[in-house]
Structures are given as C-alpha cells and as structure tokens.
Amino acid sequence: MRAVIVAAAVAFLISLFGTPIAIRVFSALKAGQPIRTIGPATHMGKKGTPTMGGVAFIIATLFAYVAGHLALTTLPDRQIAQEKPTMTALVLLGLFVFCGAIGFLDDFLKVRKRNSDGLSAKGKLLGQLLVGAAFGIAALYVPSTNGQTVASEHISFIRDVSWLDVGKVGSVMVFVFVIMAMSNGVNLTDGLDGLATGASILVLGAYSLIGFWQYRHWCGDDDYRATNHLTELHCYQVRDPLEIAMIAAAAAAACVGFLWWNTNPARIFMGDTGALGLGGLIGGLAVATRTTLLSVIIGGLFVVITMSVVIQIISFKSTGKRVFRMAPLQHHFELAGWSEVNIVVRFWIIAGICAAIGLGLFYSDHLAAMG
C-alpha cells in the first residue's frame, strides 16, 4: 500500500506544480488550441488556450512510477519481488506514452496549421492500430517466469470467461480493439473544461482499487493462498497486480493535479496528447486486470458519448436527419442551453455512478466466490 500512496502523492505534486510550467512553455511556443467554426459559439472564447497539456500528467505518472518502486525497497520480502519494472508496467506505461505520442503529433499539426485539421482520422487509427498490436503482442507472447502473461487468451468480464477462448491471435485482436475503442472514447469525451479529466480520474481510481484488491487476493502469492486455503476461484489470475494499482493510482493523482488548471475556465487543455494517452492506459488496465467487458460499465460515460457519435452518423447517413443537435453528446446539451459547468458536473456524476456500479459487480463476484 505504501508504494501506491507514494506513487500517487508524487504524481499529484509533479502534475500540480508542473502544469503551470507547461502552460508557460506552450504559451511561449504559441501552441494555442484551434477551435472548430462549426462548434458551439461559446467555444470561440477558448481560442488560443494552450493545448498538449497531457504531456504534464504523462511525465508526472512516469516519475511517480519510479518513486513508487523506490518505496518498494522498504517493504516486506514478498513485495520486493516486484521491485524491478515488469512487463505489465512496460505495456501499461508504453500504451500511455505511445498513444499520447500519436495525440501529440495530432496536436502539433493543428497548432502548426493554425486550424482544427490535425492528423487525419485514418492516420490516427493506423497509429493506434500499430501501437495496440505491438503492445498486444508483448502482452500475449512475453510470459513471466511462472508462465503468466499480461493479457489472457480468454475474453474476460470480472475474470477470464472459460468458454470465451479466442487464442493468442484473437486476443491480440481484442487487445487492439479495446485500446482503439477506449482511446477514441476518451478523445470524444474531451471538449469541455475538465470533463475528460474528471471522468478519467474516476475510472483510473476504480482500476487502482481493483488492482490493489487483486494484489491482496493474488493467486501468485503462494503464502496467502496456503494460509487461507484458497483455490483459484478465490484469488485472481493476473500478472503484477501491485504494478497495476500503482500505475492507475499515479495516473489518477496526476490527473487530479492537472484538473486544478484544467477546470472551468481552463488555463490549459489536455489535447489529443492526453485524451489518447489516457484512453490507451485505461484500455490496457482493462485487459491486464481481466475486466475487459466490465470496462464497458466502469467507463460507461465514454461508451455513451461514443455511441452518441455512432448514432448521429448512422442516422444522418441513412435518413438525412440528426438525432442530436450536435455530437458528441455534451455539445447537444450545450446547444440545448445547459451551461458548461452544469454539463461537466452532471457527466462526472454519471461517470462516478458507472465506476461505482463496476466496482460493485467486481466485489460481488468476490463475495460469491468466498461464499
């Protein structure tokens, strides 16, 4: 627990005091956010606000991970086994950094062109595909000394579903899909001051709790299993759950520090750098914790907002009519006359309810197994 707390504290402080530096740097570089002319008129006042702020909380998370590992040197022997970086950490942090890099390229092109046309949609999807495939292969084909891999060959809900065995190749494909879906989901949720940041904090916080609970009931802890006479039905078959908890907690805390400057009126935007990075990390956490299908509930706000775009596109192309005044969904409510702050707070509430339901289902499974 100490390592998780240390990582979270370091991430929060670096992000809180580092984000103003990012604001000054990106302002000096004139890296202001271009605003789409077809968007809500109220957004035109945000033109020129520094973007690419995701760099701040990505860097904060990386430093926090190192700090968390330094804290491990003072812990009991059974925990020091995870002192060195693991494949789980490389996959999760790699997704965070490289999905963020795709977003950074998109933000850079927008700033350079002085309009909202950055990297093409096909370019972003191709980049996500390549990143997802690379880390998916690592997650499926690089086992630990006990044969455990970061991802599983089964599709999971709260645990692996035994009859949903899709094999290694199929699992890589599922991995890629989850990463692309989550990264684009968070990206679509971004657009109002603090909306994606706050929602991501809630989802990452939920995954921090899941990771730590799995660590406390880990099948890889032979002493725990022997002492409590547990079978694999009572513990969790995941790889490096302490790493998962530490990274999720660090990323959540880094976003809290960033939110201080990103809440309305935002002094900096996370940009695609932050949105794609966070989505990639959340997707990786879903696969690593064996909660792939549960992530649809935990990240329910991202799913709802993504579906609003899909529904709008299908409706307009098939009937020529729009279901919403504007998609994604948050802009529909803007055009309906809701204030930005009201939309953000209410959507945060929805995100919190979804995360709470997901955690409730996760814990109920444990109670059922123990009963």
Side-chain angles (χ1 to χ4, degrees):
M1 186 65 175
R2 186 184 306 174
V4 176
I5 294 174
V6 168
V10 170
F12 171 73
L13 292 173
I14 292 177
S15 183
L16 180 65
F17 294 106
T19 300
I21 298 174
I23 293 173
R24 290 194 293 270
V25 169
F26 290 131
S27 295
L29 295 174
K30 300 187 183 303
Q33 175 70 45
I35 304 297
R36 293 187 303 167
T37 56
I38 62 172
T42 55
H43 286 207
M44 296 310 296
K46 303 177 186 226
K47 186 176 182 179
T49 302
T51 187
M52 305 184 191
V55 170
F57 56 73
I58 291 175
I59 291 175
T61 302
L62 295 176
F63 276 102
Y65 174 75
V66 175
H69 270 271
L70 291 176
L72 285 174
T73 59
T74 64
L75 296 179
D77 291 343
R78 73 183 183 89
Q79 295 172 311
I80 293 178
Q82 294 190 30
E83 180 184 341
K84 295 181 179 179
T86 62
M87 181 53 64
T88 302
L90 294 177
V91 168
L92 294 178
L93 294 176
L95 287 168
F96 201 15
V97 171
F98 282 93
C99 286
I102 296 170
F104 184 86
L105 177 59
D106 184 44
D107 289 333
F108 175 79
L109 292 175
K110 289 176 182 177
V111 170
R112 185 177 182 181
K113 295 177 181 178
R114 300 297 177 187
N115 61 46
S116 59
D117 297 325
L119 192 62
S120 68
K122 289 183 179 179
K124 280 196 279 191
L125 291 175
L126 178 60
Q128 293 168 333
L129 175 65
L130 293 175
V131 170
F135 286 103
I137 291 171
L140 264 298
Y141 287 89
V142 183
S144 62
T145 53
N146 65 359
Q148 188 78 48
T149 54
V150 177
S152 167
E153 294 182 32
H154 295 79
I155 294 176
S156 59
F157 179 53
I158 295 174
R159 303 171 188 267
D160 285 343
V161 181
S162 60
W163 52 272
L164 288 178
D165 186 344
V166 294
K168 286 186 180 294
V169 175
S171 285
V172 172
M173 294 173 65
V174 170
F175 187 97
V176 171
F177 174 79
V178 171
I179 299 307
M180 294 179 71
M182 277 296 181
S183 57
N184 285 301
V186 177
N187 196 28
L188 290 171
T189 304
D190 193 24
L192 299 184
D193 295 355
L195 176 56
T197 309
S200 296
I201 290 168
L202 294 165
V203 174
L204 290 167
Y207 271 112
S208 178
L209 293 174
I210 287 173
F212 190 74
W213 186 261
Q214 290 178 332
Y215 172 67
R216 299 302 298 174
H217 304 82
W218 185 28
C219 293
D221 188 342
D222 294 332
D223 292 337
Y224 171 79
R225 290 182 61 185
T227 302
N228 294 278
H229 308 289
L230 300 181
T231 67
E232 291 184 0
L233 292 175
H234 306 101
C235 59
Y236 297 94
Q237 286 280 9
V238 297
R239 178 173 173 174
D240 313 312
L242 185 58
E243 297 277 85
I244 293 170
M246 189 160 47
I247 291 169
C255 286
V256 173
F258 180 76
L259 184 60
W260 182 271
W261 308 101
N262 179 236
T263 194
N264 187 273
R267 292 186 56 190
I268 188 170
F269 299 139
M270 69 165 66
D272 282 14
T273 304
L276 295 184
L278 286 171
L281 174 59
I282 291 170
L285 289 167
V287 174
T289 55
R290 308 292 195 267
T291 58
T292 302
L293 296 179
L294 186 64
S295 68
V296 175
I297 299 173
I298 294 175
L301 178 66
F302 303 141
V303 176
V304 170
I305 287 177
T306 300
M307 290 306 301
S308 72
V309 175
V310 173
I311 291 170
Q312 186 86 322
I313 292 173
I314 292 175
S315 176
F316 187 74
K317 287 190 174 181
S318 59
T319 67
K321 297 181 179 180
R322 294 179 172 86
V323 176
F324 306 104
R325 290 181 171 89
M326 185 177 180
L329 187 61
Q330 60 269 32
H331 299 316
H332 167 82
F333 289 105
E334 276 192 289
L335 295 179
W338 290 26
S339 71
E340 181 171 351
V341 172
N342 274 339
I343 297 169
V344 170
V345 172
R346 288 169 180 173
F347 276 37
W348 282 352
I349 293 172
I350 294 171
I353 291 171
C354 291
I357 292 172
L359 286 173
L361 291 171
F362 177 83
Y363 185 63
S364 66
D365 172 80
H366 176 78
L367 292 179
M370 296 301 288

